[in-house]
Amino acid sequence: MTDDRSFSMPTPASPQRRIGVLLVNLGTPDSPKTPDVRRYLNEFLTDGRVIDMPAAVRYPLFQGLVVPLRAPKSAKIYQQLWDERGSPLLYHGLDLQKLVQEKLGKDYVVAFGMRYQNPSIEKALEELRAAAVDRIIVLPLFPQYAAASTGSVQEKVMELVSKWWVVPSISFISTFTDDPGFIGTFVTLGKEEMAKRKYDHVVFSYHGIPERHVLKGSHNNYCKLGTCCSSYNKNNRYCYRAQCFETSRQLAAGLGLAPEQYTTTFQSRLQSRLRDPWLQPYTDEVLKEMPAKGIKNVLAFSPAFVADCLETTIEVGTEFREMFEEAGGEHWQLVPSLNSHPQWVEGVVNMIHRN
């Protein structure tokens, strides 16, 4: 006799499978005091992806000579940057983390870390491991891929998780050069400034890197540091220079600028041009020539950064303005970075969802 009653074994409740998100920015000293600045510079400038020379040369040169000389000067600059909330790069990052977490909801765990100093990538990853996330999406907050920034973050993440006994699936968002949320937010901020006054010209100033970094990463020797960057394609997708020019083209289109109305430049070089050429044209040299050409009012963007920091607020916003005025310019205006602008928060959330 058969029993044709159907039955099924009880099914245990499935554990909640959450996705971890790791947002990473470059780093900042713990304070603007010289010892903290020295610690930060020591970690930053001895990274083999930032200073690509043999460790036997890099460590004694930078830890023994460059950093001790540079730290007191840098500390004075950081003192100008610090405000009542501390380091802008840090608190804008924490604000972004909080708002992205709120938008993504309980199915995600969002952590924030710095490549150098605190909060560390290691601490952020431990937060995600403690939350038992099913997979991790890593978003280095550098729009254009460079081995010295995004590549360094990726290397550090892989180094740390390689020591875990259980390693979840990990994916990286390596570039968002032309991401609609990134471009759109900068366009919104730029239009707000353009509505306040008329500008003769727009400058898109990106953080520079040595030319050799670009050539070392060139796909099939495609890069010639010339017109090869006039289009963005599969051969130069990860070329930092090509990405910068593509970001400029996208921003110019959104702002309604013709090619002759804007210039792409590069800032923050460490060495002199003769000793170690960096990507050109150099922002400081270009802006000094502008007033003599009748360009007296300039709107400046720093599209290599998504949060205001020393390179935006102090270098572009203050130092370049002073240079421009000394050369005869009348008005130099920095467009603020994306920070935790609602449109940018939405853009980050969309990038996470697409990945």
Side-chain angles (χ1 to χ4, degrees):
M1 183 176 178
T2 61
D3 186 349
D4 57 3
R5 290 175 298 173
S6 61
F7 67 94
S8 60
M9 295 292 291
T11 303
S14 299
Q16 184 179 16
R17 300 177 64 184
R18 296 195 291 175
I19 296 174
V21 176
L22 174 58
L23 306 176
V24 185
N25 216 323
L26 189 74
T28 182
D30 290 336
S31 83
K33 296 179 180 178
T34 299
D36 286 331
V37 174
R38 184 183 300 116
R39 277 191 290 273
Y40 166 71
L41 292 177
N42 267 330
E43 186 178 7
F44 174 41
L45 294 176
T46 54
D47 183 341
R49 282 181 170 266
V50 175
I51 307 296
D52 56 331
M53 58 176 60
V57 176
R58 183 172 71 250
Y59 279 91
L61 175 61
F62 283 87
Q63 289 188 336
L65 179 62
V66 175
V67 170
L69 291 173
R70 187 171 178 177
K73 299 175 184 177
S74 294
K76 291 180 181 178
I77 300 173
Y78 275 110
Q79 287 164 15
Q80 299 174 47
L81 178 70
W82 239 250
D83 59 29
E84 65 278 0
R85 292 189 66 190
S87 167
L89 192 69
L90 175 58
Y91 65 70
H92 286 313
L94 293 173
D95 289 347
L96 182 66
Q97 173 199 6
K98 177 177 179 292
L99 293 169
V100 169
Q101 178 68 78
E102 291 174 358
K103 283 277 188 180
L104 287 172
K106 61 182 177 58
D107 292 335
Y108 293 80
V109 180
V110 183
F112 176 71
M114 295 288 198
R115 175 60 184 88
Y116 311 106
Q117 296 300 287
N118 301 302
S120 67
I121 291 177
E122 183 173 17
K123 178 178 180 294
L125 283 170
E126 287 301 327
E127 290 176 15
L128 299 180
R129 180 156 70 157
V133 296
D134 186 60
R135 59 187 292 251
I136 297 173
I137 299 171
V138 183
L139 174 57
L141 293 168
F142 313 112
Q144 301 83 21
Y145 175 91
S149 54
T150 307
S152 181
V153 169
Q154 293 170 332
E155 183 179 83
K156 188 65 175 179
V157 169
M158 291 187 287
E159 172 195 325
L160 291 167
V161 299
S162 70
K163 300 171 185 175
W164 294 3
W165 190 250
V166 176
V167 180
S169 297
I170 298 177
S171 60
F172 296 91
I173 300 175
S174 297
T175 175
F176 49 94
T177 297
D178 53 359
D179 176 77
F182 162 65
I183 296 294
T185 310
F186 258 129
V187 167
T188 294
L189 293 167
K191 285 182 175 179
E192 289 176 0
E193 295 296 335
M194 293 168 77
K196 298 175 184 177
R197 67 181 299 143
K198 186 177 184 300
Y199 288 95
D200 303 323
H201 203 74
V202 171
V203 169
F204 299 118
S205 180
Y206 298 82
H207 198 289
I209 62 173
E211 290 181 355
R212 68 175 184 275
H213 282 204
V214 171
L215 296 174
K216 283 170 68 173
S218 177
H219 176 67
N220 291 332
N221 295 317
Y222 180 83
C223 181
K224 306 300 179 186
L225 295 170
T227 57
C228 49
C229 292
S230 59
S231 67
Y232 188 47
N233 55 67
K234 65 179 182 180
N235 292 311
N236 60 12
R237 174 166 168 73
Y238 287 102
C239 168
Y240 179 75
R241 183 175 184 268
Q243 291 171 86
C244 292
F245 279 101
E246 176 62 14
T247 295
S248 292
R249 285 190 291 267
Q250 296 263 352
L251 290 172
L255 294 167
L257 301 176
E260 65 274 11
Q261 293 178 297
Y262 71 92
T263 303
T264 296
T265 61
F266 299 90
Q267 65 185 81
S268 309
R269 64 191 184 279
L270 291 177
Q271 302 288 347
S272 72
R273 177 177 177 179
L274 293 176
R275 291 179 56 194
D276 187 17
W278 282 44
L279 292 180
Q280 300 176 50
Y282 301 137
T283 308
D284 56 342
E285 294 183 358
V286 168
L287 67 87
K288 291 175 184 177
E289 298 172 351
M290 286 182 166
K293 299 176 180 177
I295 299 173
K296 299 295 183 74
N297 295 278
V298 171
L299 185 63
F301 291 74
S302 288
F305 302 91
V306 298
D308 279 317
C309 55
L310 187 148
E311 287 84 357
T312 64
T313 304
I314 303 299
E315 187 174 12
V316 179
T318 300
E319 294 176 358
F320 287 174
R321 173 177 53 78
E322 292 172 354
M323 291 180 192
F324 185 67
E325 291 175 353
E326 287 174 7
E330 296 175 1
H331 187 75
W332 173 277
Q333 179 64 51
L334 170 66
V335 175
S337 200
L338 310 186
N339 299 322
S340 56
H341 190 285
Q343 191 174 347
W344 171 230
V345 172
E346 193 66 36
V348 172
V349 168
N350 289 336
M351 276 194 277
I352 300 302
H353 280 154
R354 288 197 298 270
N355 284 271

